[in-house]
């Protein structure tokens, strides 16, 4: 990382190590998905049931969103198991 200096002596704030704060609606959706998975539902069925309605099923965007959502939930499951 590049170090910057401000010539008039003002301190540079520390970077945010946590990144972006999570969006509340996404966190609620993720919790819902994790609860449904804990009840024994199939992974793909849960993901498809929680896809947004505005994406036409089978479109390229729908498949990309599904792939991203699966990756997000898999990462959450892996982080919970550690």
């Amino acid at each position: 990382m590049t170090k910057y200096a401000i010539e008039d002596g003002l301190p540079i704030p520390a970077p945010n190590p946590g990144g972006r704060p999570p969006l509340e609606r996404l966190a609620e959706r993720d919790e819902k998905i994790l609860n449904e998975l804990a009840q024994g539902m199939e992974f793909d069925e849960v993901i498809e049931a929680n896809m947004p309605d505005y994406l036409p099923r089978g479109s390229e965007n729908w498949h990309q969103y599904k792939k991203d959502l699966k990756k997000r939930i898999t990462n959450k499951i892996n982080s919970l198991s550690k």
Side-chain angles (χ1 to χ4, degrees):
M1 177 181 260
T2 306
K3 302 227 178 206
Y4 295 97
I6 298 176
E7 293 179 13
D8 62 1
L10 293 175
I12 298 173
N16 182 359
R20 284 182 142 174
L23 294 176
E24 194 171 309
R25 65 180 172 82
L26 295 180
E28 290 172 359
R29 183 202 57 201
D30 292 350
E31 284 299 316
K32 180 182 173 195
I33 291 172
L34 291 173
N35 288 336
E36 290 174 358
L37 290 173
Q39 294 173 0
M41 294 179 70
E42 291 290 325
F43 190 75
D44 278 338
E45 290 176 12
V46 173
I47 296 297
E48 288 182 11
N50 288 284
M51 292 289 288
D53 295 332
Y54 62 85
L55 289 174
R57 185 178 177 89
S59 68
E60 184 177 335
N61 290 339
W62 188 85
H63 287 293
Q64 184 63 44
Y65 194 96
K66 181 179 175 184
K67 178 181 163 187
D68 293 342
L69 184 57
K70 286 173 84 170
K71 185 176 180 180
R72 177 185 177 98
I73 297 301
T74 303
N75 288 339
K76 281 202 177 256
I77 291 170
N78 290 340
S79 68
L80 291 174
S81 64
K82 288 183 182 179

